[in-house]
Amino acid sequence: MIITGEALIGGVAVKGTGSPVRAYNPSLQQPMEPEFHTVDFDQIDQACRLADAAFDTFRALSDEKRAVFLETIGEQIMALGDVLVERVMAETGLPRARIEGERGRTVGQLKLFANLLREGSWNDVRIDKALPDRAPPRPDLRMRMIGLGPVAVFAASNFPLAFSVAGGDTASALAAGCPVVLKAHSAHPGTSELVGRAMVKAVELCGLPAGVFALLTGSGNGIGQELVRHPAIKAVGFTGSRSGGTALMAVAAARPVPIPVYAEMSSINPVFLMPRALAARAEDIAGAFAGSLVLGVGQMCTNPGLVIGVAGPELDRFANAAAQALAGGAACAMLSPGIAGSFQRGVAQLAEHADVKTLALAPQAEGKGAPALFVTSGAAFLSQHALSEEVFGPASLVVACKDMAELRQIAESLEGQLTATLQLDDGDLDEAHKLLPVLERKAGRILANGFPTGVEVCSAMVHGGPFPSTSDGRSTSVGTGAIVRFLRPVSYQNLSQALLPEVLRDNGPAVWRRREGELTRN
Amino acid sequence: MIITGEALIGGVAVKGTGSPVRAYNPSLQQPMEPEFHTVDFDQIDQACRLADAAFDTFRALSDEKRAVFLETIGEQIMALGDVLVERVMAETGLPRARIEGERGRTVGQLKLFANLLREGSWNDVRIDKALPDRAPPRPDLRMRMIGLGPVAVFAASNFPLAFSVAGGDTASALAAGCPVVLKAHSAHPGTSELVGRAMVKAVELCGLPAGVFALLTGSGNGIGQELVRHPAIKAVGFTGSRSGGTALMAVAAARPVPIPVYAEMSSINPVFLMPRALAARAEDIAGAFAGSLVLGVGQMCTNPGLVIGVAGPELDRFANAAAQALAGGAACAMLSPGIAGSFQRGVAQLAEHADVKTLALAPQAEGKGAPALFVTSGAAFLSQHALSEEVFGPASLVVACKDMAELRQIAESLEGQLTATLQLDDGDLDEAHKLLPVLERKAGRILANGFPTGVEVCSAMVHGGPFPSTSDGRSTSVGTGAIVRFLRPVSYQNLSQALLPEVLRDNGPAVWRRREGELTRN
């Protein structure tokens, strides 16, 4: 399949009319062919209108048909073969194994949502039958979930497949019956076009309205904001920076009809080192920590950017071992020159900070990121907000607290996080029990004796957390729970069997449902 | 129990330090004793801090203990006896039967949430056990829901018990484990104090931290906005006007940490008259419509403020019969002079509108509302947004369309609604099927051959709908589904049995849970 540099609107490839954009190969440090163009407002409008027009048809599909559509997308992505893998590698600087793994994750995600649709409980069917003899009589009431409407999805830079064109936001929105208008990330436009064409093919093969999916190309905040402002758009999925996410939140809140924004933005993912665990295995923890920190050149939402322990010889053991493991780390190509530049500025600020000591700082290079580790005191961390800001990349800050009370105080001071990790042994249980309620309030996922990179796609995953880790801590963007972001309940009172949606009929499909509030299969 | 005119903060009655406020008896048209006072910002701060401090303890209670707490509130409300009923009647002008019914609904609502807690599936437990032999190994992941944190609840004017101090928002927030800081409605402060004291008594009887509930007195937008701005507040429940709700949404979105607002605001609850039904029983429909319109002096969120049919002799039969039923209606005391004034202004605007004809207009009187019915054309309705604005009270507008296509166009043009109603017979099924997808996108509840007043409290109820009927169409404020507004998911990775919350342990309580995504009791 050839990459033409076009947007995909209404199932047709069209050139944007705006400014040109090119992909950039961060390993070779050179721009790539072909030239893409930013779409104009008319093209955005057309994509959104087509999505709106497709909504009723698409959401009326049976769960089985929507499941087949999701699986067909996966098949079409696999059918792109090595052309896709090589383009992703070229556009991101990420190695083949990572990309092949991420492709597997992306296809697996689509299958997971297909299975969720077939299982059917996502409909949240509730049936309270009429009680004609009650005083006053109770009407027949039945409820189900329907999609919100067309969803604008913004692809992420750091997961060119799993959080991009056919990634988790797209898969869960489509599963919910919502057409998707996708804003491709300008750092991997070729990857986006390839996957976008696979999706258009799947739309055709399944005989769906072309408006079910559109791919918008280009760069700049203008098109994203115009997309979020469009009246046909009913929700937003976004993975990116805090500034980008909060800008979209502001646009969405200022609309005549405000809409929900699910933005996954920033997290420093604190790791708490409990005293007994630290005493027993400071070096082991340090080794695993270093491995997690440099994974994907640190370009993970769940990168462990903060480590908190009580000052003393045991924490020194950890710090020394981690510094040793990281100091020899090579500078690796980051996803884009912009990301590398931000990382190096963030590292330089920490290195020059009066209250911060550098533990490890491998030599940086243009467009690359090399591991960096710093240490500060609990008092300094508590008094200076800048020390808790995310440095996206393989850098982390150790906070040496004067005692466990200060460690808990630091936990309490943190902003919302995607994850919080405890390194603990049996003897640390009492301290962990004190910390746990704080961590529950601060994070969407709490880990014991692991590291937060590696986000399993499953039913029990929460990849989300209180603001500013996401815009909406009531949600997850990974795992089956992601579908509820794009659903709303509708109740039907005294509708005849003929008028009721099939899933609510007396002889409807055997999905899980609540009768008088009680879950049952029948 | 004596009404002292005080706020309730930390379980203690305290006088507000701000401007005085009195209740007003709309039947007698005179102010009532005692004097209340608006709380100051320090008092708001104190209530919010205490709620914050109580949160971890309160949410850690077992489902059973929280269920008992909700039931105890109900018992304490009943124990207020006739003192409460008479005060509500005096403050609202509503008759005894309505108030006793509403008290029953309020206590029933508390019991419903108690039962929901005992049933346990609200926890949304998900367990995906470790797969150590998979490559890469899968960790043990378990998920549950926890409360968002302290909730600010704004009491409604039109349901002094069921949507006020111990109403649906409070019951669902408490069920979710969230302390409540309640802003009493200044139209029924005595009722609020009585119910507030019952709640404080229940907090004491159950041995809970006093911060679990606070009652704030006073009037003016200042205290409401200060409450929503307070960093300890994590969500807002509101029932009231569109201007009030959108103002709180703006405050919540502008916070350093934005929070969700669940505001139930305005709805005109369109009723669609299908041709066959109209031909068969125009007069019957008109009679039932008139009954629904004047219920509670039209002061219902689900009041049928808009009736849409195809112009012709059948619609005239409906209009004439409805006008006849309404014309003799007496002017009844409305909830407050402010509400009566707004109603009369709205009615006068319609009566004077060039494109509107008055069908029935009973004589109005100061502080009262008498039924009013108007008619306009489909073309006029489509071209003038003012005709779709809510007139809160017993007034409705008939829209006479030129054909069914225009009727569908009007459905498509409507803003979000709490309800949409179809009057239909078997011969109308085809037309109803065309209309249904539009109504699903516009409303939270769709009724056939009934009227929207009367909101059953049950599992399958949706009392919510797209903006501006509510701020967040993904939710309901009535029925068990209301609890999810105040919950967020937390995932636990590889936590030991000792550290896991009880509901997630291997030998935890036998609640519904998902294992590998499949629902099971075990």
Side-chain angles (χ1 to χ4, degrees), chain B residues 83-117:
Chain B
V83 172
L84 176 64
V85 175
E86 286 174 0
R87 180 78 192 190
V88 187
M89 290 168 63
E91 288 186 333
T92 62
L94 294 168
R96 176 175 287 272
R98 151 72 193 271
I99 298 306
E100 287 181 349
E102 192 181 328
R103 181 179 60 176
R105 179 192 180 91
T106 306
V107 173
Q109 217 159 230
L110 290 159
K111 282 186 189 151
L112 184 77
F113 282 106
N115 291 340
L116 182 74
L117 290 176

Short mmCIF file of all heavy atoms in Angstrom, two decimals, chain B residues 83-117:
data_model
loop_
_atom_site.label_atom_id
_atom_site.label_comp_id
_atom_site.label_asym_id
_atom_site.label_seq_id
_atom_site.Cartn_x
_atom_site.Cartn_y
_atom_site.Cartn_z
N VAL B 83 -44.51 17.69 62.45
CA VAL B 83 -43.79 18.97 62.47
C VAL B 83 -43.16 19.23 61.10
O VAL B 83 -43.24 20.34 60.56
CB VAL B 83 -42.69 18.95 63.57
CG1 VAL B 83 -41.81 20.19 63.46
CG2 VAL B 83 -43.32 18.84 64.95
N LEU B 84 -42.55 18.19 60.54
CA LEU B 84 -41.90 18.34 59.24
C LEU B 84 -42.95 18.60 58.15
O LEU B 84 -42.82 19.55 57.36
CB LEU B 84 -41.09 17.08 58.90
CG LEU B 84 -40.45 17.08 57.49
CD1 LEU B 84 -39.41 18.17 57.36
CD2 LEU B 84 -39.83 15.71 57.18
N VAL B 85 -43.98 17.76 58.11
CA VAL B 85 -44.99 17.89 57.06
C VAL B 85 -45.59 19.29 57.06
O VAL B 85 -45.72 19.93 56.01
CB VAL B 85 -46.09 16.81 57.22
CG1 VAL B 85 -47.20 17.02 56.18
CG2 VAL B 85 -45.49 15.42 57.10
N GLU B 86 -45.90 19.79 58.23
CA GLU B 86 -46.55 21.11 58.29
C GLU B 86 -45.60 22.24 57.90
O GLU B 86 -46.00 23.20 57.25
CB GLU B 86 -47.15 21.33 59.68
CG GLU B 86 -48.42 20.48 59.81
CD GLU B 86 -49.03 20.50 61.20
OE1 GLU B 86 -48.47 21.18 62.09
OE2 GLU B 86 -50.06 19.82 61.38
N ARG B 87 -44.34 22.08 58.27
CA ARG B 87 -43.39 23.11 57.87
C ARG B 87 -43.20 23.12 56.35
O ARG B 87 -43.13 24.19 55.74
CB ARG B 87 -42.04 22.88 58.57
CG ARG B 87 -40.97 23.90 58.24
CD ARG B 87 -41.16 25.21 59.00
NE ARG B 87 -40.31 26.29 58.47
CZ ARG B 87 -40.13 27.47 59.04
NH1 ARG B 87 -40.75 27.76 60.17
NH2 ARG B 87 -39.36 28.38 58.51
N VAL B 88 -43.13 21.94 55.75
CA VAL B 88 -42.97 21.90 54.29
C VAL B 88 -44.18 22.53 53.62
O VAL B 88 -44.05 23.33 52.68
CB VAL B 88 -42.79 20.45 53.77
CG1 VAL B 88 -42.46 20.47 52.28
CG2 VAL B 88 -41.69 19.72 54.51
N MET B 89 -45.38 22.17 54.09
CA MET B 89 -46.59 22.75 53.51
C MET B 89 -46.55 24.27 53.60
O MET B 89 -46.85 24.97 52.62
CB MET B 89 -47.83 22.21 54.23
CG MET B 89 -48.11 20.73 53.95
SD MET B 89 -49.36 20.03 55.08
CE MET B 89 -50.80 21.02 54.65
N ALA B 90 -46.17 24.77 54.76
CA ALA B 90 -46.15 26.22 54.95
C ALA B 90 -45.12 26.88 54.04
O ALA B 90 -45.36 27.96 53.49
CB ALA B 90 -45.85 26.54 56.42
N GLU B 91 -43.96 26.24 53.87
CA GLU B 91 -42.90 26.88 53.10
C GLU B 91 -43.08 26.76 51.58
O GLU B 91 -42.43 27.48 50.82
CB GLU B 91 -41.52 26.31 53.50
CG GLU B 91 -41.07 26.78 54.88
CD GLU B 91 -39.65 26.35 55.23
OE1 GLU B 91 -39.18 25.32 54.71
OE2 GLU B 91 -39.00 27.05 56.03
N THR B 92 -43.92 25.81 51.13
CA THR B 92 -44.02 25.55 49.69
C THR B 92 -45.41 25.79 49.11
O THR B 92 -45.55 25.87 47.89
CB THR B 92 -43.66 24.09 49.38
OG1 THR B 92 -44.62 23.24 50.03
CG2 THR B 92 -42.27 23.74 49.84
N GLY B 93 -46.42 25.83 49.96
CA GLY B 93 -47.78 25.93 49.43
C GLY B 93 -48.29 24.63 48.84
O GLY B 93 -49.37 24.60 48.24
N LEU B 94 -47.53 23.56 48.97
CA LEU B 94 -47.96 22.26 48.41
C LEU B 94 -48.86 21.55 49.42
O LEU B 94 -48.71 21.71 50.63
CB LEU B 94 -46.74 21.40 48.08
CG LEU B 94 -45.84 21.96 46.94
CD1 LEU B 94 -44.53 21.21 46.88
CD2 LEU B 94 -46.57 21.90 45.60
N PRO B 95 -49.82 20.76 48.94
CA PRO B 95 -50.79 20.14 49.83
C PRO B 95 -50.21 18.94 50.60
O PRO B 95 -49.20 18.36 50.21
CB PRO B 95 -51.90 19.67 48.89
CG PRO B 95 -51.23 19.48 47.58
CD PRO B 95 -50.11 20.48 47.52
N ARG B 96 -50.88 18.58 51.69
CA ARG B 96 -50.41 17.53 52.59
C ARG B 96 -50.15 16.20 51.85
O ARG B 96 -49.10 15.57 52.07
CB ARG B 96 -51.45 17.31 53.70
CG ARG B 96 -51.12 16.15 54.65
CD ARG B 96 -52.10 16.06 55.81
NE ARG B 96 -51.89 17.13 56.77
CZ ARG B 96 -51.04 17.04 57.80
NH1 ARG B 96 -50.33 15.95 57.99
NH2 ARG B 96 -50.90 18.05 58.63
N ALA B 97 -51.09 15.79 50.99
CA ALA B 97 -50.94 14.48 50.34
C ALA B 97 -49.65 14.45 49.52
O ALA B 97 -48.91 13.46 49.53
CB ALA B 97 -52.14 14.18 49.45
N ARG B 98 -49.37 15.53 48.80
CA ARG B 98 -48.14 15.60 48.02
C ARG B 98 -46.91 15.51 48.93
O ARG B 98 -45.95 14.80 48.63
CB ARG B 98 -48.14 16.90 47.20
CG ARG B 98 -46.79 17.50 46.87
CD ARG B 98 -46.01 16.69 45.82
NE ARG B 98 -44.63 17.14 45.76
CZ ARG B 98 -44.18 18.12 44.98
NH1 ARG B 98 -45.00 18.72 44.14
NH2 ARG B 98 -42.91 18.47 45.00
N ILE B 99 -46.94 16.23 50.03
CA ILE B 99 -45.77 16.26 50.92
C ILE B 99 -45.58 14.90 51.60
O ILE B 99 -44.46 14.40 51.69
CB ILE B 99 -45.93 17.37 51.98
CG1 ILE B 99 -46.00 18.74 51.30
CG2 ILE B 99 -44.78 17.33 52.99
CD1 ILE B 99 -44.84 19.02 50.38
N GLU B 100 -46.67 14.30 52.03
CA GLU B 100 -46.53 12.97 52.64
C GLU B 100 -46.03 11.96 51.61
O GLU B 100 -45.21 11.10 51.92
CB GLU B 100 -47.86 12.53 53.26
CG GLU B 100 -48.16 13.30 54.56
CD GLU B 100 -49.46 12.91 55.24
OE1 GLU B 100 -50.27 12.18 54.63
OE2 GLU B 100 -49.67 13.36 56.38
N GLY B 101 -46.54 12.09 50.38
CA GLY B 101 -46.05 11.21 49.32
C GLY B 101 -44.57 11.45 49.06
O GLY B 101 -43.80 10.50 48.89
N GLU B 102 -44.18 12.71 49.04
CA GLU B 102 -42.77 13.01 48.76
C GLU B 102 -41.86 12.54 49.90
O GLU B 102 -40.73 12.11 49.67
CB GLU B 102 -42.60 14.52 48.51
CG GLU B 102 -41.25 14.85 47.94
CD GLU B 102 -41.05 16.33 47.69
OE1 GLU B 102 -42.03 17.03 47.38
OE2 GLU B 102 -39.90 16.78 47.83
N ARG B 103 -42.39 12.63 51.11
CA ARG B 103 -41.61 12.10 52.24
C ARG B 103 -41.41 10.59 52.08
O ARG B 103 -40.31 10.07 52.29
CB ARG B 103 -42.31 12.42 53.56
CG ARG B 103 -41.55 11.94 54.78
CD ARG B 103 -42.26 12.27 56.07
NE ARG B 103 -43.60 11.67 56.13
CZ ARG B 103 -44.40 11.74 57.18
NH1 ARG B 103 -44.03 12.39 58.26
NH2 ARG B 103 -45.59 11.16 57.15
N GLY B 104 -42.47 9.90 51.68
CA GLY B 104 -42.38 8.45 51.45
C GLY B 104 -41.35 8.14 50.36
O GLY B 104 -40.56 7.20 50.48
N ARG B 105 -41.37 8.95 49.32
CA ARG B 105 -40.42 8.76 48.22
C ARG B 105 -38.98 8.97 48.71
O ARG B 105 -38.06 8.24 48.34
CB ARG B 105 -40.76 9.79 47.13
CG ARG B 105 -39.86 9.77 45.92
CD ARG B 105 -40.13 11.02 45.09
NE ARG B 105 -39.29 11.05 43.92
CZ ARG B 105 -39.63 10.53 42.74
NH1 ARG B 105 -40.80 9.97 42.57
NH2 ARG B 105 -38.79 10.59 41.72
N THR B 106 -38.80 9.98 49.55
CA THR B 106 -37.46 10.30 50.06
C THR B 106 -36.92 9.16 50.92
O THR B 106 -35.76 8.73 50.76
CB THR B 106 -37.53 11.61 50.88
OG1 THR B 106 -38.13 12.62 50.07
CG2 THR B 106 -36.16 12.04 51.34
N VAL B 107 -37.76 8.66 51.81
CA VAL B 107 -37.34 7.56 52.68
C VAL B 107 -37.15 6.29 51.84
O VAL B 107 -36.19 5.53 52.04
CB VAL B 107 -38.38 7.35 53.80
CG1 VAL B 107 -38.07 6.11 54.61
CG2 VAL B 107 -38.43 8.58 54.71
N GLY B 108 -38.03 6.10 50.86
CA GLY B 108 -37.91 4.94 49.97
C GLY B 108 -36.61 4.97 49.18
O GLY B 108 -35.96 3.94 48.97
N GLN B 109 -36.22 6.17 48.76
CA GLN B 109 -34.98 6.36 48.02
C GLN B 109 -33.76 5.97 48.87
O GLN B 109 -32.83 5.32 48.39
CB GLN B 109 -34.89 7.85 47.67
CG GLN B 109 -34.32 8.17 46.35
CD GLN B 109 -34.73 9.58 45.90
OE1 GLN B 109 -35.20 9.75 44.79
NE2 GLN B 109 -34.58 10.58 46.75
N LEU B 110 -33.79 6.38 50.13
CA LEU B 110 -32.69 6.02 51.04
C LEU B 110 -32.63 4.50 51.21
O LEU B 110 -31.54 3.91 51.21
CB LEU B 110 -32.90 6.71 52.39
CG LEU B 110 -32.68 8.23 52.36
CD1 LEU B 110 -33.37 8.92 53.53
CD2 LEU B 110 -31.18 8.57 52.36
N LYS B 111 -33.80 3.86 51.32
CA LYS B 111 -33.83 2.39 51.44
C LYS B 111 -33.32 1.72 50.17
O LYS B 111 -32.64 0.71 50.21
CB LYS B 111 -35.26 1.92 51.72
CG LYS B 111 -35.70 2.12 53.16
CD LYS B 111 -37.08 1.50 53.39
CE LYS B 111 -37.60 1.89 54.76
NZ LYS B 111 -39.08 1.94 54.81
N LEU B 112 -33.70 2.29 49.01
CA LEU B 112 -33.26 1.71 47.74
C LEU B 112 -31.73 1.70 47.66
O LEU B 112 -31.12 0.70 47.26
CB LEU B 112 -33.83 2.54 46.58
CG LEU B 112 -33.54 2.01 45.18
CD1 LEU B 112 -34.45 0.83 44.86
CD2 LEU B 112 -33.73 3.10 44.12
N PHE B 113 -31.11 2.80 48.06
CA PHE B 113 -29.64 2.84 48.03
C PHE B 113 -29.04 1.93 49.09
O PHE B 113 -27.97 1.35 48.89
CB PHE B 113 -29.14 4.28 48.14
CG PHE B 113 -29.26 5.04 46.85
CD1 PHE B 113 -30.23 6.00 46.67
CD2 PHE B 113 -28.41 4.75 45.80
CE1 PHE B 113 -30.36 6.67 45.46
CE2 PHE B 113 -28.53 5.42 44.59
CZ PHE B 113 -29.51 6.38 44.43
N ALA B 114 -29.73 1.78 50.22
CA ALA B 114 -29.26 0.82 51.23
C ALA B 114 -29.26 -0.59 50.63
O ALA B 114 -28.29 -1.35 50.78
CB ALA B 114 -30.15 0.89 52.47
N ASN B 115 -30.32 -0.93 49.92
CA ASN B 115 -30.38 -2.25 49.29
C ASN B 115 -29.33 -2.41 48.21
O ASN B 115 -28.74 -3.48 48.06
CB ASN B 115 -31.78 -2.49 48.69
CG ASN B 115 -32.83 -2.64 49.78
OD1 ASN B 115 -32.49 -2.94 50.93
ND2 ASN B 115 -34.08 -2.42 49.43
N LEU B 116 -29.10 -1.34 47.48
CA LEU B 116 -28.06 -1.38 46.44
C LEU B 116 -26.69 -1.68 47.06
O LEU B 116 -25.90 -2.46 46.52
CB LEU B 116 -28.03 -0.03 45.71
CG LEU B 116 -27.03 0.10 44.57
CD1 LEU B 116 -27.51 -0.67 43.35
CD2 LEU B 116 -26.79 1.57 44.19
N LEU B 117 -26.42 -1.05 48.20
CA LEU B 117 -25.14 -1.30 48.88
C LEU B 117 -25.05 -2.75 49.32
O LEU B 117 -24.01 -3.39 49.17
CB LEU B 117 -25.00 -0.36 50.08
CG LEU B 117 -24.79 1.12 49.75
CD1 LEU B 117 -24.76 1.97 51.02
CD2 LEU B 117 -23.51 1.33 48.95
#
